[in-house]
Amino acid sequence: MRFGLFYEHQLPRPWGDGQELRLYQDALDQVEIADRVGFDYLWAVEHHFLEEYSHSSAPEVFLGAASQRTKRIRLGHGIVQLPPAVNHPARIAERIATLDLVSNGRVDFGTGESSSSAELGGFGVRRTDKRAQWQDAIDAITRMFVEEPFAGWLSRDITMPPRNVLPKPVQKPHPPLWVACSRRETIQFAARNGIGALSFSFVEPEDAGKWVDEYYRILASEECVPAGFAVNPNVSVVLPMMLHEDEATAIDRGIDGAHFFAFALAHYYGPTPHDPGRTNVWEEFLSRRAARGFSREQIIANAGTLNVNVGSLRGAVGTPAQVIDLVRRYEAVGVDQISFVLQSGPNKHEHICESLELFGEAVLPHFTEGREERDAAKAERLAPAIEAALARREPARTAAAGYRIDEDAEVARAHRSRDIRSASRRRFRQGFYKLVHGRSDEQIERHFGPAAQRVFFAGMARAFDPSAAAGFTGELEFCLTRVVWTLEIGKSRAHAHPGPAEDPALTLTVATADFLRILAGDANPASLLMDGRLELRGDHELAPRLSEMFGGPSPY
Amino acid sequence: MRFGLFYEHQLPRPWGDGQELRLYQDALDQVEIADRVGFDYLWAVEHHFLEEYSHSSAPEVFLGAASQRTKRIRLGHGIVQLPPAVNHPARIAERIATLDLVSNGRVDFGTGESSSSAELGGFGVRRTDKRAQWQDAIDAITRMFVEEPFAGWLSRDITMPPRNVLPKPVQKPHPPLWVACSRRETIQFAARNGIGALSFSFVEPEDAGKWVDEYYRILASEECVPAGFAVNPNVSVVLPMMLHEDEATAIDRGIDGAHFFAFALAHYYGPTPHDPGRTNVWEEFLSRRAARGFSREQIIANAGTLNVNVGSLRGAVGTPAQVIDLVRRYEAVGVDQISFVLQSGPNKHEHICESLELFGEAVLPHFTEGREERDAAKAERLAPAIEAALARREPARTAAAGYRIDEDAEVARAHRSRDIRSASRRRFRQGFYKLVHGRSDEQIERHFGPAAQRVFFAGMARAFDPSAAAGFTGELEFCLTRVVWTLEIGKSRAHAHPGPAEDPALTLTVATADFLRILAGDANPASLLMDGRLELRGDHELAPRLSEMFGGPSPY
């Protein structure tokens, strides 16, 4: 078991002069303590525009500063947002490598897709694009670390000519990779990509155990095709923490922070309206916490047992004995790391420092004995599977000598590919939408003869994204007007054929015209379902994932 | 006079294991010394893909680290590349503010346009766009510092909805602004924008004096419309340095570094071909240095006088007495800061450390007495002009309350504006090019009747960029086939009218068809000039700037 410290840099309103300065300076003092008492990881998030919830928008700078206040602790990005509209992939590779140089090889490279509306809307990232952008960017960035020179890139979202991206990281082939996870599906996704799972949702030990088992099963299977040039087999969970020998004092000092964290998370990741610069999340928290299940009184009444249910979120707010017990439960199910959030909501600097010292004295020593040996044994056990997995990853490329930097041609190519992309997307969307919008069922269906059917279903099969299928394999059956089509979903690809399925996991019955309206964005499947114009038979849970599986919008 | 230390993080080939690590760790040690002995500024560049010349691609991380190794020295970005394809403006505002927080308000925010082919081609930035992108981005970024919330942006290159960009910098309204300058025109540009001029070319004291006079004249005039919400009246020059009591030792230790710096600069900013990952700049330097005027022998032969001509580049490589004398010459002409480059080429860490200590002991004390008083007097002297200049800047906006983050609408808007921009640019270029390409003179001229003429010349006048005109005002006359047009260039705008000029500064005589071919990118003015198809009368030096003045490609 390894222990981390996790920073959002929260700052509830009202904001006074100098509070952000205090926030950052205090955090650096805390990090110095954590390093001294034996914490293994410091994680800093990258969030943008999430007032009160996270003022950690440039973690590369904070971690750079932390590198000179610490000696041993690892410095983790938890996470870097990979959509190219937020961070250019070369800029990411450069800052990770530079941080690795100033910290003498202590970087962990956590990655994510970005997912709050404030961030996606702020940077103009389509929710439907972000998964693909993550996959595209991680491939490019890890190549920038190992290819000398990076042989260039031409994808829908990234165009870059050959360049030697400098500097290179200290750790070879590159710092350990992680990905932000919040659900079982994303943990599986991490395993398929051979990278650490940084779970940011508060999960009970028993559920965490199921995730861990599945993670390691997939990681050791043929499903694992590493996203990087090294595999990082680790599962980490996050918990709020405040420690004191007296339980009531621990709760008094830490519970508002833990609750505000969860409340503000829900605020930014749910449908709550937000007026930038004006919405006061702290006031909303005060007036609604009880209704949302964040009752201070209830926690105090139930003291004595730690409960990490989000509903009555308490996490590791308690005595050393309670926290030792809680950590043991996570350890027992195979969780590799727990990262603790102490700096949250109104939690006080001096209480955080006290808790860190107490954790180092009273909790940490219970988990260090034999840790190196256990880690070594784990590495040995996984070595053959990791070797096999790495053989499945496309290798680093060796660019042919003789390339010459040619600014005019390179710039023209970058702009041409942008122009073509946007033009073809626009044409397709507009064309298809025009074809169905305002037309009668008969008019639409007239266009959907056998040739058009083949094109559409083949297109869906081609657009299939195994990561969105979350391990599902089987048949999806589409009963349209006078015609039935089946999509066979395999592990990594899908195949379309006309005719009924043998054993459909899910059957959708819908008029051809409505089916095409859904695809063109002219009808909402939920509305059709409610109107009885769309019928589902079989595994209903598959339905909400369909759009995403075939390149449509993701619900998360 | 203030003193700075300037870092490119150079690393000549061949590269051994661990050399980049050493480079960065040594630099942090050096910075600690510089802070202790009394240097005022640490500057770190942002360069991408410039192998050997600069491995400083993520200065935000290095400066973050340096913030915790130092107490007083200011931390300067020298410079941040502002084209949005390199760095999103919000990401820049965030990292500048975060650096200001971890350093307790010690940031100087240097900016630039990016200008090597390796960088512009690597990020797909058009040379013709970068000046406008600088102006656009600096306006947006400084507003992100002061507007709460930032009221949003919609320009050709930046689309962003209202957001509160966090955190805010410690220094109010924001850290001092600078811009990279390499020529007299860009120094004037800095003055017009009310920001510090970071001159990166090696300039003799006497020339520097002319620049300084012009800079302060413009800064105090009505031409100055500040780019930020504060004015930073400062001119800084850069010099290579190596110090030793024995002159021959100083030269021996420092001259290769100084020469390599200049040679590699010319390599990346000139037409020299570069094969990423393969071209060995250090070897090219060794074989060509003498031919390029970087002769070690000549410097030794001419020892005794410091000469900062680029041709025999020596800068501040010498004894304390020599450097004191050199600094006095810059001080006498009103230069505010000299930044010294010690880490360059093969210069050794221990020699750099020795030089820094010696500078602190033997040079610096000669320039500190009365410095605070002089700075205060300067501030007082400039205060009325600065106040007047700030009144000319468009003020910070106050966004109306009631905005609601709306991901779908915001993302759609961002993509729509991208699509429209690229489509309209493409249409214009393609349409115009098609109109002239492969056509005879007669065919082209048939399209250029009086109506088309008005449109074209009015368009040129509208596209006029005063910053590219570098202070020129006067008439430009275009003698085409059977028709003459004149562009009157004023301080801030241009006006077109048919007919001859009264007193043209420059007259271009060219066939209408060739003129249109130039505008459409179908003919090269230099070739036409050589073929005698384009004639220039008047101030020939204006000609190379014409393209840039009307929104065409810049030569720098």
Side-chain angles (χ1 to χ4, degrees), chain A residues 57 60 91 166 278 399 402, chain B residues 57 60 91 166 275 278 399 407:
Chain A
S57 57
E60 62 272 33
R91 293 291 291 111
L166 297 170
R278 298 200 164 81
Chain B
S57 57
E60 63 270 34
R91 294 289 293 111
L166 297 170
D275 187 0
R278 297 194 166 84
E407 178 187 336

Side-chain angles (χ1 to χ4, degrees), chain A residues 215-439:
Chain A
Y215 174 87
Y216 280 104
R217 183 186 58 70
I218 294 174
L219 194 97
S221 79
E222 291 200 352
E223 282 181 68
C224 173
V225 181
F229 294 91
V231 167
N232 177 31
N234 273 300
V235 176
S236 170
V237 299
V238 162
L239 286 179
M241 195 241 271
M242 191 62 78
L243 216 57
H244 197 276
E245 291 292 357
D246 172 56
E247 184 182 7
T249 306
I251 293 176
D252 185 56
R253 290 177 172 186
I255 205 64
D256 288 349
H259 282 181
F260 178 74
F261 189 105
F263 180 90
L265 182 84
H267 172 86
Y268 280 112
Y269 290 81
T272 324
H274 188 88
D275 186 359
R278 298 200 164 81
T279 299
N280 189 320
V281 184
W282 176 251
E283 273 185 10
E284 296 204 358
F285 168 69
L286 290 183
S287 67
R288 293 183 200 171
R289 62 185 294 183
R292 295 277 183 83
F294 301 119
S295 156
R296 196 182 163 91
E297 293 65 36
Q298 202 185 333
I299 290 282
I300 294 170
N302 294 341
T305 54
L306 283 174
N307 182 336
V308 294
N309 271 327
V310 172
S312 56
L313 189 75
R314 178 166 160 193
V317 174
T319 66
Q322 288 177 317
V323 171
I324 289 168
D325 179 61
L326 182 66
V327 172
R328 285 216 192 290
R329 286 164 62 203
Y330 283 102
E331 191 182 43
V333 298
V335 166
D336 299 291
Q337 178 179 158
I338 303 177
S339 278
F340 295 107
V341 182
L342 287 91
Q343 195 290 313
S344 64
N347 289 0
K348 289 200 164 51
H349 174 57
E350 53 273 26
H351 298 160
I352 295 169
C353 295
E354 264 184 55
S355 287
L356 292 173
E357 298 277 6
L358 185 56
F359 188 87
E361 283 162 31
V363 179
L364 218 151
H366 291 266
F367 298 94
T368 49
E369 208 188 292
R371 196 161 64 158
E372 306 299 333
E373 293 74 12
R374 282 195 298 279
D375 284 357
K378 173 185 159 188
E380 201 180 326
R381 193 170 66 244
L382 292 176
I386 287 178
E387 197 186 338
L390 286 172
R392 285 188 288 271
R393 197 240 192 273
E394 277 181 51
R397 302 159 299 173
T398 308
Y403 183 85
R404 290 286 175 275
I405 287 179
D406 180 344
E407 177 188 335
D408 290 345
E410 290 169 348
V411 169
R413 200 176 309 128
H415 284 263
R416 199 160 51 236
S417 78
R418 275 173 222 163
D419 290 355
I420 290 168
R421 280 199 309 269
S422 64
S424 72
R425 271 203 304 263
R426 201 177 51 244
R427 262 200 310 274
F428 175 78
R429 279 199 312 272
Q430 289 176 348
F432 193 20
Y433 183 83
K434 269 189 206 158
L435 193 72
V436 304
H437 184 64
R439 303 284 169 105

Side-chain angles (χ1 to χ4, degrees), chain B residues 231-346:
Chain B
V231 167
N232 177 31
N234 273 301
V235 176
S236 170
V237 299
V238 162
L239 287 178
M241 196 241 272
M242 191 64 78
L243 216 56
H244 197 277
E245 292 292 356
D246 173 55
E247 184 182 7
T249 306
I251 293 175
D252 186 55
R253 289 177 171 185
I255 205 64
D256 289 349
H259 283 181
F260 178 74
F261 189 104
F263 180 90
L265 183 84
H267 173 85
Y268 280 112
Y269 290 80
T272 326
H274 187 89
D275 187 0
R278 297 194 166 84
T279 298
N280 189 319
V281 184
W282 176 251
E283 274 184 10
E284 297 204 358
F285 169 67
L286 289 184
S287 68
R288 294 185 199 171
R289 63 184 293 183
R292 295 278 182 83
F294 301 118
S295 157
R296 196 183 163 91
E297 292 66 35
Q298 202 187 332
I299 290 281
I300 294 170
N302 294 341
T305 54
L306 282 174
N307 182 336
V308 293
N309 269 329
V310 171
S312 55
L313 191 73
R314 179 166 160 194
V317 174
T319 66
Q322 287 177 317
V323 172
I324 289 168
D325 179 60
L326 182 66
V327 172
R328 284 216 194 289
R329 287 163 61 202
Y330 282 102
E331 191 182 42
V333 299
V335 165
D336 299 291
Q337 179 179 157
I338 303 177
S339 278
F340 295 107
V341 181
L342 288 91
Q343 195 290 314
S344 63

Side-chain angles (χ1 to χ4, degrees), chain A residues 439-458:
Chain A
R439 303 284 169 105
S440 70
D441 286 13
E442 292 68 33
Q443 287 173 315
I444 294 174
E445 291 181 12
R446 203 177 309 140
H447 290 285
F448 202 62
Q453 290 167 24
R454 253 197 304 282
V455 169
F456 269 95
F457 281 98

Side-chain angles (χ1 to χ4, degrees), chain A residues 65-148:
Chain A
S67 74
Q68 305 301 304
R69 297 285 293 269
T70 56
K71 296 208 157 43
R72 304 171 309 137
I73 202 167
R74 294 192 61 84
L75 306 171
H77 274 279
I79 50 78
V80 179
Q81 299 195 1
L82 297 200
V86 186
N87 292 296
H88 189 287
R91 293 291 291 111
I92 296 176
E94 291 167 340
R95 70 195 215 201
I96 292 293
T98 303
L99 187 59
D100 215 35
L101 291 167
V102 297
S103 70
N104 212 340
R106 289 189 278 144
V107 176
D108 272 67
F109 176 22
T111 66
E113 300 171 7
S114 172
S115 71
S116 75
S117 288
E119 289 163 299
L120 295 172
F123 288 101
V125 176
R126 289 199 184 97
R127 207 166 271 268
T128 45
D129 290 346
K130 68 196 188 72
R131 173 59 59 88
Q133 291 184 343
W134 180 93
Q135 201 94 49
D136 191 33
I138 194 93
D139 194 6
I141 293 166
T142 52
R143 288 174 185 282
M144 291 175 191
F145 289 139
V146 301
E147 292 180 354
E148 213 171 326

